[in-house]
Each structure stands twice: as C-alpha cells, then as structure tokens.
C-alpha cells in the first residue's frame, strides 16, 4: 500500500510541476494533440466499419438463426472495439513520445535540473536521430509485449462473468504498467538504461508502478484527458525514474513529498544499471 501511495504521489507531483511551468506544459501538449487526431480517426473508422470486418471474419456464422447471429456478431464487434480502445490507450503514450521526443526530452531534463541537488541533468550524449531510432525500437518492443497481453485478455474476455468483471480490471493494471514503462523511458534513455534493465527495475516494484500507471490508464480512456495529462505524466515519471535508480532529490519546485523517495532498487554507474 505504501508504494501504491508513493506511485500516485509522483503522478500528482508531475501535474503540479507542469502547472508551475506553463511554457513547458503548453509545448508538451502539441505531440498529444497530433496523436489524438490520428487515433480518433482510426477509432471512428472502426466504429463505422467494425461490424463489416466482423462479418467478413466470421463467414461460418452466416447460416445461424436469428437472434443468435446478431448477438454473436454484435458481441464480437463490441469486444473488437474494446480491444482497439485498450491498444489505443497502451500505444498512445508510445506514439506520442515518439512524435514529441524533442519536447519531452527537454521537459524531463528541466525536471531533473529542478530537483537535482547540483542542478544538473544526465545526458545521453547521442544525436537526436540516434535517440529517435532507439526510442522507436524500444517502443516497438513494448508495444509487441502489450499486444500479446491484449490478445490474451481478449481471449479471456469470452469467459462468462470473469471476462466482464475481472479481466477489465487486470487490463487496466497491465496497461498502467506499460504506460509507466513508456513514460519513464524518457528519463531512463538519457541515462543509457536499456529496455531490459528498465523492465527489471519496474517489475521489482510493481505496486509503485501500478500506483502511478493504473490511475493514468483509467484517465487515458478519455482521449482529451490523455492529451492534457501527458506533460505532467512525463514530469512525474522523471521523478519516479530518479527514485527507481536511487538518485538523490533536492529541494527544488519538484520536491518529493512522499516517504521513501530515493530508495529505488538500482542506480546508474558507467552507463548501466547496478544493484
């Protein structure tokens, strides 16, 4: 319960940080707005033609009697849209971070400088194009993992009662985990922490991750909310990354108000994670 509260406090602190830094907040909205337009177009297209897709995919049901044919295909259409929405929530952050890499890098660096005792921020030393390639590669790895979970949860959704109650709850926790991985990657990549090590750090403190990511996943179901929360989510994830890596936080605007800050599971030494 302690780590859940701490994780949520990072989310709140991130939103407070961007509220105090209006310029960073305004610039951070641009990538989210671009991604929102793209995703809304895709979801609207699925809403309009999803039933046709289900009909094409289930020719074996053409001869079923009414009302079973309508109920079956209607259920599949709803599940298909729900799965698409889940994947949209999971991948929204990855796509937005990829589009807004330069914006969010700058925001994350500003948070680091603000809370670091010596006023400095780690730098990767890589060119922008190299960072974009690494970010895109790592995002694809995470999206594939998230998609595998999505397919599993989609299949479990057919189980009566459990599929309509337990599975959606699990889905939000899974989504929250992957959202947190994507958001912390902005700060982690500047520290040259590889995706495998990032996942290891996050798995070691799942309750901390869920406290941060699960409320965010619930909020991200509403597209406009996702856009406005993204800058603060990046800021909060930077604070969480410092905690996970055991970095000391000073008394800047982003001062951590939670207990246990800076007592993460690892730290960066020489470009890699050690425990």
């Amino acid at each position: 319960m302690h780590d859940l509260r701490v994780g949520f406090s990072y989310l709140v602190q991130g939103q407070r940080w961007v509220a105090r830094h209006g310029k960073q907040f305004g610039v951070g909205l641009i990538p989210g707005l671009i991604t929102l337009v793209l995703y809304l177009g895709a979801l609207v297209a699925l809403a309009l033609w999803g039933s046709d897709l289900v009909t094409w995919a289930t020719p074996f049901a053409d001869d079923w009697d009414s009302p079973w044919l309508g109920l079956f295909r209607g259920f599949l259409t709803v599940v298909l849209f729900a799965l698409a929405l889940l994947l949209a929530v999971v991948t929204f952050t990855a796509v937005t971070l990829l589009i807004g890499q330069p914006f969010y890098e700058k925001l994350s660096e500003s948070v680091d400088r603000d809370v670091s005792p010596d006023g400095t921020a780690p730098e990767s030393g890589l060119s922008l194009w190299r960072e974009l390639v690494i970010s895109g590669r790592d995002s694809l790895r995470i999206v594939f993992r998230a998609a595998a979970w999505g397919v599993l949860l989609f299949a479990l959704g057919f189980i009566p009662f459990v599929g309509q109650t337990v599975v959606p709850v699990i889905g939000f926790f899974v989504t929250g985990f992957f959202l947190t991985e994507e958001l912390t990657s902005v700060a982690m990549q500047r520290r040259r922490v590889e995706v495998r090590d990032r996942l290891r750090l996050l798995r070691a403190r799942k309750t901390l991750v869920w406290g941060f990511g699960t409320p965010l996943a619930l909020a991200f179901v509403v597209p406009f909310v996702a856009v406005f929360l993204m800058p603060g989510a990046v800021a909060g994830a930077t604070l969480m990354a410092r905690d996970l890596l055991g970095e000391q936080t000073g008394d800047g605007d982003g001062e951590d108000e939670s207990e246990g800050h800076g007592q993460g599971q690892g730290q960066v030494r020489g470009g890699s994670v050690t425990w």
Side-chain angles (χ1 to χ4, degrees), residues 44-64:
V44 168
L46 185 61
L48 292 175
W49 294 293
S51 59
D52 294 336
L53 180 62
V54 169
T55 299
W56 170 81
T58 57
F60 58 86
D62 287 343
D63 298 327
W64 288 15

Side-chain angles (χ1 to χ4, degrees), residues 5-254:
R5 181 169 59 84
V6 173
F8 183 72
S9 75
Y10 285 131
L11 180 59
V12 174
Q13 289 172 57
Q15 302 304 323
R16 289 174 56 188
W17 191 92
V18 295
R20 289 193 294 265
H21 300 77
K23 184 178 180 180
Q24 297 278 4
F25 177 70
V27 172
L29 290 178
I30 297 173
L33 289 171
I34 295 172
T35 309
L36 176 64
V37 172
L38 296 175
Y39 272 55
L40 281 179
L43 289 173
V44 168
L46 185 61
L48 292 175
W49 294 293
S51 59
D52 294 336
L53 180 62
V54 169
T55 299
W56 170 81
T58 57
F60 58 86
D62 287 343
D63 298 327
W64 288 15
D65 295 329
S66 179
W68 304 115
L69 175 61
L71 289 174
F72 175 69
R73 285 179 170 166
F75 173 73
L76 286 184
T77 301
V78 171
V79 172
L80 176 64
F81 189 83
L83 177 61
L85 188 61
L86 174 63
L87 291 177
V89 171
V90 171
T91 60
F92 181 90
T93 303
V95 174
T96 303
L97 289 175
L98 189 60
I99 293 173
Q101 179 78 11
F103 302 101
Y104 294 134
E105 283 281 351
K106 198 72 175 175
L107 191 155
S108 181
E109 286 181 14
S110 297
V111 174
D112 268 325
R113 289 194 181 94
D114 189 38
V115 302
S116 175
D118 58 4
T120 61
E123 296 181 4
S124 66
L126 301 174
S127 66
L128 175 60
W129 288 110
R130 181 60 179 161
E131 288 183 347
L132 287 173
V133 169
I134 294 174
S135 178
R137 180 199 66 191
D138 291 350
S139 293
L140 282 176
R141 290 177 178 175
I142 297 302
V143 167
F144 283 139
R145 284 185 172 93
W149 272 97
V151 171
L152 175 61
L153 293 172
F154 175 79
L156 293 176
F158 289 98
I159 301 176
F161 183 72
V162 174
Q164 294 75 49
T165 54
V166 178
V167 172
V169 173
I170 296 175
F172 278 112
F173 276 93
V174 171
T175 302
F177 181 90
F178 286 115
L179 279 177
T180 304
E181 196 288 328
E182 286 291 347
L183 290 164
T184 54
S185 70
V186 178
M188 295 281 197
Q189 283 175 7
R190 282 192 291 106
R191 292 159 168 84
R192 305 291 289 273
V193 182
E194 296 293 332
V195 63
R196 199 174 305 171
D197 292 326
R198 296 202 302 266
L199 289 170
R200 195 177 305 153
L201 282 169
L202 294 172
R203 287 168 183 157
R205 297 184 69 184
K206 289 189 183 73
T207 51
L208 177 74
V209 173
W210 288 333
F212 181 91
T214 304
L216 199 60
L218 289 167
F220 273 24
V221 172
V222 184
F224 288 105
V225 173
V227 171
F228 287 100
L229 289 183
M230 268 298 291
V234 173
T238 301
L239 296 173
M240 176 181 287
R242 296 180 65 90
D243 184 346
L244 290 168
L245 296 168
E247 296 180 9
Q248 185 179 0
T249 295
D251 298 325
D253 289 344

